[in-house]
Amino acid sequence: TGNFTHLISFRNSSSKGYTENTDYQISDVFYNGTFSMEKNNTSFQIGYSDKGFGANNFYSAKYPEQYETTQTLFSSISFKTNLDHLQIEPKAYFRRNNDQFFLFRQYPDKYSNYHTTDVWGTNLLVSYFLGTSGITSIGFDTRTETIWSNTLGDLTQNPIKSPINDSITLNYFHSRTNFSTFIGHKRYFSNLTINVGINLTRNSDLNFKWFIYPGIDLSYQLTKSSSIFASVNKTMRMPTYTDLYYKGPVNEGNPNLLPEEAVGYELGLQNKSDFMKFSLTCFYSQGKNMIDWVKVNLEDQWKTINHTTLNTAGVEISVNNDFEKIFPDQAY
């Protein structure tokens, strides 16, 4: 419609399941609207999803009658403008998720979890294009994650009623905010591409201490169809609220968990022809404070811990063939 583009979608699906307590029902509605004018583009989206499913053996084989429902509302708005060599992209978003879990589907009062989580944030990406020789990007991001629950979080003096069951009080709460900023530069040479960047991040759960995460990616074109690549990147992952707080019949979280940190190395070769794509990648990761669910004895509960060191090495090979091009006269 003129400068506007609209996308509207609906979905509803259901199944009785392939065995007992594997039934599900899913309903979704989604809208995306885009307004374009010359060098400017504005996009808005909003969606809602309602799911219910029998979780037979999904979380634990010990309790096959588990059942869960979720309701998710999400929306975002973004803007993009181009000013000569400069491109500016601000964005804001919000997501609310309600989760209701029953350990015993037929007896919901025996053991149940109710969670309401809100995630909202804004980010800004500014890119400067150096003709065909490279791109320099600067970004800023802030994100807040909040949970109200009857099991996850810290006991609060301001509880709320569950939005999906007003007979349930959500008397546990936790909120954390993450700030990050990064700068990166991608440079193109005749056969070589270099992409370097550095990310600075701080989180309210870590007393807003600054953490630095650099990275570099290299790619060299050997021939028209083949190239080699290498990368070194440092990353961090905060523990989830489940990792920190979950308490159930067979699991127990750990509120003293530290964030995961890892340095990953990759070296690989890839080849692309008209009928085949081949890649070989060797990787090595040095992990620090990696989070895992463990137990010492069979009768113990699963508990989350930080592994002081967890190093991982491996090789990945991928081959994709287009047989219609290999055997063009063969009927399929």
Side-chain angles (χ1 to χ4, degrees):
T1 54
N3 293 331
F4 285 92
T5 301
H6 307 275
L7 169 67
I8 303 173
S9 68
F10 305 91
R11 178 180 69 150
N12 187 77
S13 62
S14 63
S15 170
K16 293 183 179 179
Y18 63 93
T19 188
E20 184 180 357
N21 197 40
T22 58
D23 59 305
Y24 69 85
Q25 184 276 327
I26 302 173
S27 298
D28 296 328
V29 59
F30 175 77
Y31 169 78
N32 176 262
T34 302
F35 177 74
S36 301
M37 180 175 287
E38 296 181 353
K39 297 182 179 181
N40 300 324
N41 184 295
T42 302
S43 179
F44 171 76
Q45 65 175 356
I46 187 169
Y48 180 78
S49 177
D50 191 332
K51 302 179 182 179
F53 59 94
N56 186 342
N57 293 325
F58 189 80
Y59 297 108
S60 169
K62 190 174 181 180
Y63 301 97
E65 289 301 310
Q66 299 166 89
Y67 183 76
E68 186 167 14
T69 64
T70 63
Q71 294 86 41
T72 306
L73 173 68
F74 60 92
S75 64
S76 71
I77 185 168
S78 61
F79 176 76
K80 182 189 293 186
T81 185
N82 293 283
L83 305 170
D84 294 328
H85 296 283
L86 196 65
Q87 181 174 281
I88 303 173
E89 299 178 70
K91 178 186 292 185
Y93 58 88
F94 173 79
R95 177 182 183 273
R96 163 161 284 199
N97 186 74
N98 295 312
D99 189 305
Q100 176 182 244
F101 171 80
F102 301 139
L103 191 64
F104 305 98
R105 182 172 185 170
Q106 305 301 325
Y107 307 98
D109 294 335
K110 274 193 173 183
Y111 183 88
S112 61
N113 289 331
Y114 289 83
H115 317 299
T116 294
T117 56
D118 287 344
V119 178
W120 65 92
T122 59
N123 56 60
L124 173 66
L125 177 63
V126 180
S127 302
Y128 184 78
F129 294 85
L130 305 170
T132 59
S133 62
I135 305 170
T136 299
S137 300
I138 300 175
F140 306 91
D141 181 88
T142 177
R143 171 187 173 97
T144 298
E145 304 167 345
T146 300
I147 186 169
W148 289 268
S149 172
N150 66 337
T151 55
L152 305 182
D154 303 310
L155 195 63
T156 177
Q157 296 181 347
N158 301 299
I160 65 172
K161 296 294 184 181
S162 169
I164 53 177
N165 187 341
D166 59 11
S167 67
I168 300 296
T169 299
L170 307 181
N171 50 4
Y172 290 87
F173 171 82
H174 191 98
S175 181
R176 64 189 182 194
T177 299
N178 192 84
F179 299 98
S180 65
T181 181
F182 78 89
I183 183 170
H185 180 70
K186 180 182 284 189
R187 192 66 185 264
Y188 303 99
F189 299 93
S190 57
N191 291 330
L192 178 67
T193 301
I194 302 176
N195 191 3
V196 296
I198 187 168
N199 178 288
L200 286 80
T201 187
R202 60 195 307 207
N203 192 285
S204 58
D205 275 0
L206 304 173
N207 297 317
F208 290 112
K209 177 183 175 182
W210 284 105
F211 293 85
I212 301 175
Y213 300 99
I216 181 170
D217 301 273
L218 305 173
S219 177
Y220 186 81
Q221 198 76 27
L222 296 171
T223 66
K224 239 182 183 182
S225 60
S226 63
S227 62
I228 57 174
F229 58 89
S231 67
V232 181
N233 291 282
K234 186 177 182 181
T235 60
M236 182 263 275
R237 183 181 78 87
M238 292 293 294
T240 67
Y241 290 146
T242 301
D243 295 333
L244 292 168
Y245 295 112
Y246 187 78
K247 290 183 180 180
V250 295
N251 298 76
E252 182 179 348
N254 177 4
N256 298 313
L257 289 173
L258 299 172
E260 293 182 346
E261 291 187 277
V263 179
Y265 306 85
E266 276 195 353
L267 178 64
L269 167 70
Q270 60 184 11
N271 182 276
K272 297 181 181 179
S273 65
D274 291 339
F275 57 86
M276 186 182 74
K277 295 180 182 179
F278 170 83
S279 68
L280 170 66
T281 305
C282 301
F283 59 87
Y284 179 65
S285 175
Q286 294 177 305
K288 174 185 175 183
N289 295 324
M290 305 303 284
I291 298 168
D292 199 6
W293 292 84
V294 303
K295 61 180 177 180
V296 178
N297 303 303
L298 285 176
E299 63 274 12
D300 292 345
Q301 287 186 314
W302 293 97
K303 297 184 179 181
T304 46
I305 66 165
N306 285 115
H307 291 294
T308 304
T309 303
L310 183 62
N311 297 334
T312 306
V315 177
E316 182 178 283
I317 300 174
S318 173
V319 180
N320 294 314
N321 289 308
D322 188 336
F323 286 102
E324 290 186 1
K325 292 183 178 179
I326 298 175
F327 306 106
D329 299 327
Q330 179 68 43
Y332 292 94

